[in-house]
Amino acid sequence: MGEREHWKNRSTFIMAAVGSAIGLGNLWRFPYIAAQNGGGAFLIPYFTALVTAGIPIMIIEYGLGIRSQSSANVAFGDINPKLRYIGWMAIMGAFVINIYYCAVMGWALKYLFDIGSISQWGSSIAASKTHFFVDTLGVSDHPFHFGGIQWPLFAGLLVTWLTIWQIVKGGLGRVGKVLLYSVPLPVILVIILVVRGLTLPGAAEGLNYYLSPDWARLLDGQVWLAAYGQIFFSLSVGFGTMIAYSSFMPRDTEIPNSAAITSFANCAFSFLAGFAVFSVLGYFAVASNLPVGEVAGSGPGLAFVVYPTALATLPVWVKGFAALFFITLLSLGIDSAFSLLETVATALSDKFNMSRHKSTTIVALVSFSLGIPFVTQAGILWLDIVDHFILSYLITFVGIAECIIVAYFLGVKNFTDEVNKTAEIKLGKIFGIMISVVTPAMLIVSFVTSLVQEFKTPYEGYPISALILIGGGSLLIVILGAAILGRANTNNGSERR
Ligand code: PFF
């Protein structure tokens, strides 16, 4: 294989990492997770999770990518050959979540075409729900009742895959060019949405709901779990993505400050996106005489059900703002989706000495095909189950493993000394305490609590057989995939050097 590709400079690298982190998770997931978990008080566990897990693990991933100049499997295999399996598990996690992430991008694309009739389907929450669950998803009553393929969603999925395939196969040069638009664009668009939201009557009601803390919720373990889960998903850590992205930087790259910039940029954006969402919900709540809590408590439907309905009640420019909202979602999601494709394709290229073109094409084709169940009438049910199992178990496990591997296999001192050679902010004792005790302890508690909860009450009331087959099946695919890829003969030998 030729010389390893590199980002043009550190700014491009940080922009790529920020682009991966800032995604659908910030505008669609963060606001409703915050609302469901104590509103303003959620920000305390959220920022605690950022400091005790997000930033330390981001530093670990940057450190491993830069020192190994390779994907997660080699980064871990360098420390101990057997650990390469953990690297492959992270990469398989990226592979699985991109399958449904692109399906959600497909929903947003389809909605862009529905805007013409938003005043009809968005006339009330009930009408909007029908539009989303019945007309768009055609959702079935059981995860194994697939019904038919929803062709507009199939088309959205196909277009999304063709786009990210086209970008990633063009190499880091092309990725860098796209990032110049896909990172600033949603920031500008969200600022426009925030200004629009804040100038609406009733905005204050929404912000009160978003920002006034429900302190009692801080004693609830689930709130803390939700905060850790959101930090992992939002910062793109635990998936090998940040390892792959940093492996395209030279060995003398600054790490802790780069990780802090990426993490704070992402969380600041989430906080800002909350203003865009809750100001409009406040306006809607006042206009329709409903409590904000009742409007906002709608969970994952927020972006596709409640928000468009709220927009449809605007006095002017309904279609313009609705288009702006879905374009924002798409431009947010695209650089996260291609970072996931890049993670898996680079790992295959690194291992099998395969050209970027070939590895990207293989991964895109397989992932697109596996995405087809997600555009059937059972799609959203599959998505919900797979997302829950991968985030609660696989990614938490990878996070724990990353801390333990660096703290106890590589050694805190080795790692810290290496990183500090080029650090703008030097890593001190606190970092060591964090990765050897605090972060793994928090994550282990999170893992065990989820597991106990799982056995007590089936997740979201799904049939046990579906949870075992779809949730357990996705974990099994990850484990088998990691075992097969970790054992397969490699061409360049770097995995076991
Ligand atoms: N961070 C992205 C978001 O918030 O939408 C999702 C994501 C991208 C997760 C890349 C994991 C990853 F590796």
Side-chain angles (χ1 to χ4, degrees):
M1 197 164 54
E3 174 129 336
R4 189 171 193 73
E5 282 182 278
H6 278 109
W7 295 115
K8 208 162 125 210
N9 47 38
R10 182 179 170 208
S11 321
T12 314
F13 159 56
I14 293 183
M15 202 158 65
V18 170
S20 169
I22 298 185
L24 300 177
N26 300 62
L27 188 59
W28 157 70
R29 201 169 190 272
F30 174 80
Y32 79 79
I33 296 279
Q36 280 174 349
N37 290 284
F42 179 73
L43 297 176
I44 296 172
Y46 181 75
F47 281 103
T48 310
L50 170 69
V51 173
T52 59
I55 299 178
I57 295 185
M58 179 95 66
I59 293 174
I60 288 180
E61 295 208 349
Y62 281 1
L64 293 180
I66 287 169
R67 75 194 288 278
S68 69
Q69 295 284 294
S70 197
S71 302
N73 53 320
V74 178
F76 289 109
D78 268 354
I79 300 170
N80 179 318
K82 289 238 167 340
L83 295 176
R84 67 180 182 278
Y85 291 108
I86 306 275
W88 279 114
M89 282 168 81
I91 296 162
M92 286 298 296
F95 171 72
V96 172
I97 73 162
N98 209 16
I99 293 171
Y100 64 80
Y101 201 84
C102 288
V104 179
M105 293 285 286
W107 301 352
L109 254 178
K110 193 253 173 199
Y111 262 66
L112 209 49
F113 288 90
D114 291 348
I115 284 171
S117 52
I118 188 172
S119 48
Q120 283 121 52
W121 60 259
S123 60
S124 66
I125 297 268
S128 198
K129 267 191 181 155
T130 307
H131 182 71
F132 182 59
F133 291 108
V134 181
D135 305 340
T136 303
L137 304 177
V139 68
S140 72
D141 58 352
H142 191 286
F144 295 130
H145 297 165
F146 291 102
I149 289 180
Q150 299 299 97
W151 291 107
L153 300 183
F154 179 90
L157 183 71
L158 183 64
V159 170
T160 306
W161 273 107
L162 283 173
T163 312
I164 61 173
W165 167 68
Q166 195 61 32
I167 296 170
V168 173
K169 87 181 166 58
L172 295 189
R174 189 175 296 169
V175 169
K177 281 192 197 121
V178 175
L179 287 166
L180 286 178
Y181 301 94
S182 66
V183 176
L185 183 68
V187 179
I188 297 168
L189 299 183
V190 161
I191 292 174
I192 299 176
L193 291 172
V194 170
V195 172
R196 171 70 278 202
L198 292 182
T199 49
L200 287 169
E205 293 287 317
L207 296 190
N208 254 342
Y209 184 78
Y210 176 43
L211 299 175
S212 52
D214 175 359
W215 297 106
R217 299 295 303 277
L218 283 183
L219 297 175
D220 180 349
Q222 290 298 327
V223 171
W224 289 82
L225 284 185
Y228 276 86
Q230 177 60 18
I231 281 290
F232 271 82
F233 183 83
S234 189
L235 290 182
S236 311
V237 294
F239 299 84
T241 298
M242 292 306 182
I243 299 183
Y245 265 15
S246 55
S247 75
F248 301 128
M249 284 303 279
R251 284 184 204 276
D252 58 357
T253 304
E254 200 286 339
I255 294 172
N257 202 14
S258 309
I261 295 171
T262 317
S263 311
F264 282 120
N266 176 65
C267 295
F269 185 86
S270 280
F271 188 54
L272 182 72
F275 282 82
V277 171
F278 282 96
S279 54
V280 172
L281 295 187
Y283 159 74
F284 177 62
V286 168
S288 51
N289 234 334
L290 286 168
V292 182
E294 215 167 277
V295 174
S298 63
L302 197 68
F304 292 91
V305 176
V306 185
Y307 199 80
T309 315
L311 288 181
T313 58
L314 287 181
V316 281
W317 247 65
V318 169
K319 288 179 190 159
F321 281 110
L324 207 63
F325 178 70
F326 289 107
I327 293 172
T328 310
L329 271 185
L330 288 167
S331 60
L332 276 175
I334 196 79
D335 36 22
S336 305
F338 66 63
S339 73
L340 288 160
L341 171 57
E342 176 76 54
T343 305
V344 189
T346 305
L348 290 190
S349 293
D350 281 350
K351 182 173 173 92
F352 297 110
N353 246 339
M354 216 184 255
S355 72
R356 167 182 279 272
H357 186 288
K358 192 167 169 193
S359 65
T360 310
T361 308
I362 295 176
V363 178
L365 266 176
V366 174
S367 312
F368 167 71
S369 313
L370 292 176
I372 292 176
F374 293 85
V375 291
T376 63
Q377 293 178 252
I380 192 174
L381 311 176
W382 275 58
L383 186 159
D384 193 15
I385 297 174
V386 173
D387 178 77
H388 169 71
F389 277 82
I390 295 288
L391 280 170
S392 302
Y393 301 108
L394 176 72
I395 300 309
T396 317
F397 171 77
V398 171
I400 298 167
E402 287 186 330
C403 292
I404 291 177
I405 289 168
V406 170
Y408 300 103
F409 284 72
L410 186 57
V412 171
K413 186 164 167 19
N414 273 344
F415 183 80
T416 316
D417 287 350
E418 229 175 85
V419 169
N420 278 346
K421 278 187 202 143
T422 52
E424 284 161 9
I425 308 171
K426 303 275 181 229
L427 296 181
K429 282 220 163 55
I430 295 192
F431 175 78
I433 298 171
M434 233 21 125
I435 66 163
S436 49
V437 185
V438 180
T439 317
M442 294 290 224
L443 295 178
I444 289 170
V445 171
S446 162
F447 188 96
V448 174
T449 319
S450 293
L451 200 62
V452 171
Q453 190 67 28
E454 206 71 54
F455 284 102
K456 268 203 210 143
T457 30
Y459 174 65
E460 294 286 322
Y462 285 110
I464 309 272
S465 59
L467 291 175
I468 293 176
L469 285 169
I470 303 170
S474 58
L475 289 175
L476 197 67
I477 288 180
V478 166
I479 294 167
L480 281 179
I484 292 168
L485 286 161
R487 287 192 131 244
N489 277 335
T490 122
N491 284 344
N492 63 11
S494 61
E495 203 180 34
R496 294 184 180 82
R497 78 185 152 212

